[in-house]
Amino acid sequence: MKLKTRIKRISKILFLYVPAGLVLLSLLWVVLYKFVPVRWTPLMLKRSIEHFDQKDFRNRRQWVSIDEIAPVMVRAVIASEDGRFMTHHGFDFEEIGKMMDEHERKGKKIRGCSTVSQQVAKNCFTFGSRTWLRKGVEAYYTFMIELFWGKKRIMEVYLNVAETGKGLYGVEAASMKYFNCHASRLTTAQAVSLVCVLPNPLVRNPQTVAQKNRTKYNTVSKTLQYVAYPF
């Protein structure tokens, strides 16, 4: 009887208390980030480890309120990364359906359809590994931040933690490095240049992207005309 009782206790801990504790911790984590600046992310830690042997490497970031970021930067992100940001609930099923249709009918490669919310969840709560487990964790936190943060906070965090270059995170740090100005003073051309590097920030440079990635730059510039500041 004692053995059965011990097994029951262990099973209860493993299958009830541990999962409940993890859910509670994740809830507290999400709620905390609703109010305090996100100073470090798993991606920042990962990059620091990858470049540990490079003496000149350092993470550069400067948290700023979304109200201190030029509105055109917010509009550019929506135009480039997530056109239905304000209407979806974390997952753009319309875009996913379009992508799958293109894949099945035209044989196009499956492309990423991550929303801004999903990118924030990935950056803040995962190490970005290419596994189904990470996708599941990302989906869970996407749902949570949509529920507790709201769109303005999600965009604010995105603009402060997105990787914008080697060791560079957030719009403020990128603005100072590439354009020698604060994020509040970004021009339309500069904002478009910054969002054009986001798909591959370790390769693209905002100062040259308008020439080297002209198609992307022109597409975002045209789309931007139809995007209003949402906040």
Side-chain angles (χ1 to χ4, degrees):
M1 290 296 291
K2 289 184 178 180
L3 179 60
K4 288 184 178 181
T5 301
R6 288 178 181 176
I7 292 175
K8 286 183 179 180
R9 287 178 179 175
I10 294 174
S11 298
K12 195 172 184 179
I13 292 172
L14 291 177
F15 298 107
L16 180 60
Y17 293 153
V18 171
L22 291 174
V23 170
L24 179 59
L25 285 174
S26 68
L27 176 60
L28 293 174
W29 195 3
V30 169
V31 172
L32 177 66
Y33 274 175
K34 176 179 173 64
F35 301 104
V36 303
V38 182
R39 302 293 187 186
W40 274 92
T41 67
L43 177 62
M44 293 178 192
L45 176 60
K46 179 181 177 182
R47 294 289 189 239
S48 295
I49 294 173
E50 289 174 348
H51 300 287
F52 177 75
D53 59 340
Q54 299 180 19
K55 295 182 179 180
D56 61 337
F57 177 83
R58 65 186 181 90
N59 286 323
R60 286 169 289 180
R61 62 206 182 279
Q62 178 62 52
W63 181 276
V64 290
S65 164
I66 194 170
D67 298 323
E68 298 177 82
I69 297 173
V72 70
M73 188 67 217
V74 175
R75 293 170 53 223
V77 167
I78 294 174
S80 175
E81 298 292 297
D82 192 352
R84 283 177 279 271
F85 174 67
M86 293 302 296
T87 57
H88 65 61
H89 299 288
F91 307 93
D92 191 344
F93 294 109
E94 185 175 339
E95 190 65 24
I96 292 172
K98 179 181 176 181
M99 178 270 293
M100 293 304 298
D101 183 61
E102 291 175 347
H103 173 67
E104 293 173 0
R105 290 194 303 106
K106 302 178 181 179
K108 290 186 177 182
K109 292 183 179 180
I110 294 179
R111 55 183 170 81
C113 296
S114 293
T115 63
V116 166
S117 302
Q118 286 175 277
Q119 292 179 55
V120 170
K122 180 180 73 174
N123 287 339
C124 292
F125 303 104
T126 81
F127 282 96
S129 60
R130 297 178 180 274
T131 65
W132 286 108
L133 176 60
R134 191 272 291 174
K135 282 287 186 182
V137 173
E138 176 190 305
Y140 169 76
Y141 279 106
T142 298
F143 171 79
M144 295 285 277
I145 64 176
E146 281 279 341
L147 181 64
F148 289 101
W149 289 7
K151 295 294 186 179
K152 188 173 183 179
R153 178 59 175 179
I154 291 172
M155 181 61 73
E156 182 175 57
V157 173
Y158 178 82
L159 291 170
N160 277 282
V161 304
E163 189 174 31
T164 48
K166 184 178 178 181
L168 204 62
Y169 303 92
V171 173
E172 177 69 9
S175 298
M176 293 301 297
K177 175 178 174 60
Y178 295 117
F179 305 120
N180 196 32
C181 71
H182 293 289
S184 61
R185 301 178 64 84
L186 284 170
T187 66
T188 297
Q190 291 168 342
V192 173
S193 295
L194 282 176
V195 299
C196 283
V197 309
L198 293 178
N200 201 347
L202 300 183
V203 174
R204 296 181 182 179
N205 185 312
Q207 295 172 324
T208 59
V209 72
Q211 290 75 41
K212 294 184 177 181
N213 303 89
R214 196 70 193 175
T215 300
K216 172 74 172 178
Y217 183 89
N218 287 341
T219 299
V220 176
S221 296
K222 291 178 181 178
T223 306
L224 184 62
Q225 302 175 49
Y226 306 100
V227 178
Y229 184 71
F231 308 120

